[in-house]
Amino acid sequence: MRKVLLLSFIVIAVSNLHAVDLHEILAKDGKVSIVGFVGVNRYDGDLDPDYDPTWILKSPNVDMSIEYNIHPILSFGLNMGALMFNQEDINETFHAGNVYTSTFLSLDLLGLMAGEKNKRWALWGKGGVGISGLIWPRYTSTRPVPPIDPAVIGVASPPAFFIFPVGLSLEFSITRKICIGLNGSYFYTNTDHMETVYRHNYNDLWQNASISLRYKFINPGQIHMRDEVKGKEPEDPYMPIINQLQQNINQLTIRVDGIDGKLNDLDDRMLAMEGIFADGPDTDKDGVPDARDLEPNTPQGTPVDFWGRSILIPKEEEMISVYFDFDSSELDKIAQITVIKVAEKMRKDPTLLLEVRGYTDSPGSNPYNDKLSQLRANRVKLELMKVYGIDQTRITANGKGKLPDPASKTLMNRRCDFFFSK
């Protein structure tokens, strides 16, 4: 028993593996589909049916087709099927099995007339040629039969004969992979004795009505060719990515153009800066080149700033400073009183400008003291701005580092001085 179960498991596993491989092969191009049919038939030969529907219902058929689309509205395929005939009229009865196979071409008439594929519906017309054969034919007759004349009547059933099927299929897509359909077909033959009787009347044929279920072999994210718009190539799955990359490139181009403009502006500004810092004529002999001198006629001996503007030197009694503890940039109560006086002076004269210069004593490295002196100047500026509302554009904070003379560790060296100008 265990051997049987093990063998069954191996057979099922191998079958599943082959099924997966087959599906991948069929779904590779998105052009293959398979469809199954179930329906009933009406024999149309030398019988004279009374259109009793029961004999049609007693003549079932099943068949299957596999199709390959060479275009969204055109495919070719192979059909295989089998049916039962159980039909009669007043004088005759005909019973037989029938197997057949055919090749065919199929055309989407709805897509052809509309100019493009409908999203859900399709009306396919098809025609083909194939071979059929009867199995177990049995014919009985109650009509008077004259002496058998081989030229008039015979009882030999053809072993095989040609068929020429034509039909229409109305299909509706439930999903991207599944369609259901209603189908009607005519099967023409090249023989007059399917029911084993040959009367020189006309070639026999039969009609078929059926329902169908189609499965389209596609991979995830793929669109089957049967669903493509007529005249268009199947959409490239990488096109959305390519379009997004193109948009990114366009945006990058715009940004690069903007950077080019900024670089050009920067070149102009650098040229201007070179002119500012370059040496050149100094008409008023104040030590500031005319290129950046905002007061080109300063009286000789007048202290000026970087831009050649006069610096107001306060009287000795007006010189004020704030002092700091060792290695600190915080303001004590005495320093805050001094800042209040500076703020009042700035408020009384809105045109007054202020430079706060910070210093340190001698201990410590130069880089450390440069940073500490700047912190002290920034702290005073912040107090004037935040507490007393002095506009920041009127205040300049400069850290000067160590006071070289006298070089000592004293409170007098740990300070900020105030320089006013207009």
Side-chain angles (χ1 to χ4, degrees):
M1 182 64 180
R2 292 180 180 177
K3 292 182 179 180
V4 173
L5 291 176
L6 179 59
L7 181 60
S8 300
F9 176 78
I10 294 173
V11 170
I12 293 172
V14 172
S15 299
N16 288 336
L17 289 174
H18 284 293
V20 172
D21 293 340
L22 180 60
H23 186 280
E24 291 181 353
I25 294 172
L26 295 177
K28 180 180 179 181
D29 297 325
K31 298 179 180 181
V32 179
S33 62
I34 189 170
V35 57
F37 301 83
V38 177
V40 294
N41 300 277
R42 174 182 179 273
Y43 174 73
D44 187 3
D46 295 328
L47 301 181
D48 185 19
D50 57 5
Y51 294 98
D52 182 348
T54 59
W55 54 258
I56 297 178
L57 297 177
K58 294 176 183 178
S59 300
N61 86 293
V62 292
D63 66 13
M64 180 186 71
S65 296
I66 183 168
E67 292 187 46
Y68 181 87
N69 278 80
I70 56 178
H71 190 273
I73 64 170
L74 181 65
S75 68
F76 69 89
L78 175 66
N79 174 254
M80 295 170 287
L83 58 87
M84 296 283 293
F85 284 121
N86 290 290
Q87 300 186 10
E88 62 184 49
D89 63 10
I90 297 175
N91 301 306
E92 298 166 292
T93 61
F94 171 48
H95 306 280
N98 194 1
V99 293
Y100 55 88
T101 182
S102 66
T103 58
F104 61 88
L105 288 175
S106 187
L107 182 68
D108 181 10
L109 303 178
L110 183 61
L112 181 65
M113 291 184 293
E116 65 178 13
K117 295 286 293 185
N118 187 279
K119 186 176 180 180
R120 294 287 186 181
W121 294 94
L123 180 64
W124 292 86
K126 64 181 179 180
V129 60
I131 297 177
S132 180
L134 293 177
I135 302 175
W136 310 305
R138 182 165 58 86
Y139 168 82
T140 60
S141 175
T142 57
R143 73 173 72 244
V145 180
I148 295 177
D149 181 352
V152 176
I153 187 169
V155 291
S157 176
F161 49 91
F162 284 107
I163 58 172
F164 305 92
V166 295
L168 288 175
S169 297
L170 180 63
E171 291 189 351
F172 177 77
S173 294
I174 301 175
T175 68
R176 291 190 304 127
K177 292 185 177 183
I178 303 296
C179 293
I180 58 173
L182 295 175
N183 314 276
S185 300
Y186 256 85
F187 288 79
Y188 293 87
T189 75
N190 70 331
T191 181
D192 183 37
H193 52 300
M194 277 183 58
E195 79 280 45
T196 75
V197 177
Y198 176 68
R199 297 187 177 92
H200 296 290
N201 288 342
Y202 60 88
N203 290 343
D204 297 327
L205 54 90
W206 74 89
Q207 297 96 39
N208 167 265
S210 64
I211 58 175
S212 61
L213 183 67
R214 181 183 299 275
Y215 179 82
K216 292 173 281 190
F217 290 92
I218 54 174
N219 291 314
Q222 191 177 19
I223 298 176
H224 197 277
M225 182 173 281
R226 292 176 75 86
D227 299 324
E228 291 293 338
V229 176
K230 177 180 178 295
K232 292 185 179 180
E233 294 296 329
E235 183 179 355
D236 188 344
Y238 296 103
M239 280 306 297
I241 299 175
I242 295 174
N243 292 335
Q244 183 61 49
L245 289 175
Q246 185 61 52
Q247 292 179 9
N248 294 342
I249 292 173
N250 294 338
Q251 294 175 1
L252 183 60
T253 301
I254 294 173
R255 293 174 62 185
V256 170
D257 291 341
I259 292 173
D260 286 343
K262 292 180 180 179
L263 289 176
N264 293 334
D265 181 61
L266 183 60
D267 289 342
D268 296 337
R269 294 171 65 183
M270 288 297 294
L271 291 174
M273 290 297 292
E274 289 176 2
I276 290 173
F277 286 99
D279 294 331
D282 181 10
T283 304
D284 54 5
K285 307 299 181 181
D286 60 358
V288 178
D290 292 345
R292 69 168 186 268
D293 197 340
L294 298 181
E295 295 181 8
N297 298 313
T298 305
Q300 188 173 5
T302 302
V304 295
D305 60 13
F306 178 81
W307 299 100
R309 296 175 297 191
S310 301
I311 297 176
L312 177 62
I313 303 297
K315 298 177 181 180
E316 187 68 25
E317 61 271 15
E318 293 179 350
M319 288 287 290
I320 52 179
S321 301
V322 293
Y323 299 93
F324 298 87
D325 290 336
F326 179 73
D327 199 26
S328 173
S329 60
E330 293 302 319
L331 299 171
D332 58 19
K333 291 184 178 180
I334 297 175
Q336 289 177 353
I337 293 173
T338 304
V339 173
I340 291 174
K341 294 179 180 180
V342 173
E344 290 177 352
K345 184 179 182 67
M346 296 289 288
R347 286 174 175 172
K348 288 180 181 179
D349 188 352
T351 65
L352 205 59
L353 303 178
L354 172 64
E355 180 186 3
V356 183
R357 296 180 183 176
Y359 300 97
T360 69
D361 54 16
S362 58
S365 65
N366 287 333
Y368 181 83
N369 282 291
D370 289 342
K371 182 178 179 180
L372 180 58
S373 66
Q374 186 64 49
L375 288 174
R376 288 171 174 170
N378 290 341
R379 180 66 183 87
V380 174
K381 178 179 179 180
L382 184 65
E383 187 79 5
L384 289 169
M385 291 166 47
K386 297 296 184 182
V387 178
Y388 303 103
I390 307 301
D391 191 342
Q392 64 174 343
T393 60
R394 300 175 60 195
I395 307 172
T396 301
N398 288 323
K400 297 298 185 178
K402 298 180 183 180
L403 268 177
D405 186 24
S408 63
K409 182 182 177 181
T410 64
L411 180 65
M412 297 301 295
N413 288 27
R414 300 191 297 270
R415 72 176 191 264
C416 280
D417 293 337
F418 299 89
F419 294 86
F420 300 91
S421 63
K422 291 189 177 181

